Amino acid sequence: MNEKRLVTLRGVLFGGNANNSANAGFAYANSNNTPSNANTNIGSHLCFSRLKYKQGNDLASWQNKTSERCWYPEHTGENSEYEKQIKGMKRVGNLYEQIISVENLRLADEKARKGKLRSYGVKLHDHNREENILKLHKMLKEKTYNTSKYQTFMIHEPKERLIFRLPYFPDRIVHHAAMNILEPIWVSVFTSDTFSCIKGRGINGCMRKVKAAMKDRENTRYCLKIDVRKFYPSVDHEILKQIVRRKIKCKDTLSLLDEIIDSTDGLPIGNYLSQYFANLYITYFDHWLKEVKKLKYYFRYADDMVFLHSDKSYLHNLLTEISEYFETNLKLKLKSNYQVFPVADNHTDKHARGLDFVGFVFYHHETRIRKGIKKNFCRAAAKLNKRKIESSEYKQRLCSWFGWAKYSDSENLLKKIIKKEEYENCIL
């Protein structure tokens, strides 16, 4: 009987490959940052769930039609390498007791309060701090914890967003307690091309990777830039839960995460866990791009994605496949404002333009600060230039912008907008 198994694009990755060397990211006093390198290699195997059987001799024609959109194992069967990989993949269990331990809850409390010591929630919690920790431990142990009611408010910069806020106790402590244990598990799954909200990467790590890629001028001649329409509100809970289960098998931990996921529609912007759920939701798409499509230059910050290639038509074809992947596997839609354009050598090139990404504009031979950030920098410097203040205060008030200038070609900008007597002190 001539029987072959077909597989879908609904990929399942066990393990991952994260090989990252990047700066620690922008801090408020960015001029004093020191590099912090992370280098992790985890064995990665890519396999796909079987959809159906197909009989006859038309397998070759079917593969030709699907082209590279499908990865198909050459040998299938109970004793095949493919089947052995599936059976041998390990998920992580026995996590819940670690998450709810009093020691971990105390550590989560310390992490959650950083930068928020004056907030009402922290002050209220501190009236009965140890008692609250023990109370939370009991709630989690007895499975009586439920996510509190959200408060919501709108922000309008950099764009209009609905922000969700939970009480400091117990919810924010619970989120940090969960991530103390789950973060290394999930980060091991992320590719080295994912940068948002990952320690040791961030904006600075992304900027360094893009700058390095731009040196390969021939293979970065064209850029495809896309993002997802209403990404956080559009995340499908059932798909997210299945993705979470690819690495975690602890039933109590899954129950806790399911309760948090179902606490509101989509992913609530403002939740500590949401940023990790967001990365996890797209991470198998990242693996598909790198391991199936073999795309060399790809960078993702949250749902903002950049693809660099030598062939413009290749990027247009890739866009079609990406759109299909998102709609089929993740129930997401891309924004219609996608762009495919030639990348300029420098800012004076009138026949191409720079890549505007993570606050910088990248060219093949230089890197500039994004126009909006540069305007804010100039306004802040102009106001301070009219005042008589100490050099230390002058530098402190502008140090966040100096961080952007430090990693871009901004020497002429600094000479123009910084006080002459302060320039030597502020030069990077």
Side-chain angles (χ1 to χ4, degrees), residues 144-162:
T144 59
Y145 166 79
N146 288 298
T147 301
S148 304
K149 185 177 180 179
Y150 286 96
Q151 292 180 333
T152 60
F153 59 94
M154 295 294 298
I155 62 169
H156 301 279
E157 292 292 336
K159 62 182 180 181
E160 191 174 275
R161 289 191 180 100
L162 180 64

Side-chain angles (χ1 to χ4, degrees), residues 226-229 231-232 282 300-305 335:
I226 62 173
D227 61 348
V228 178
R229 184 166 67 88
F231 173 46
Y232 274 73
I282 304 183
R300 179 170 69 83
Y301 196 90
D303 64 318
D304 291 333
M305 289 162 271
K335 287 184 179 178

Side-chain angles (χ1 to χ4, degrees), residues 186-199:
W186 285 343
V187 170
S188 73
V189 183
F190 300 151
T191 70
S192 60
D193 309 296
T194 307
F195 298 93
S196 174
C197 305
I198 301 176
K199 294 174 184 176

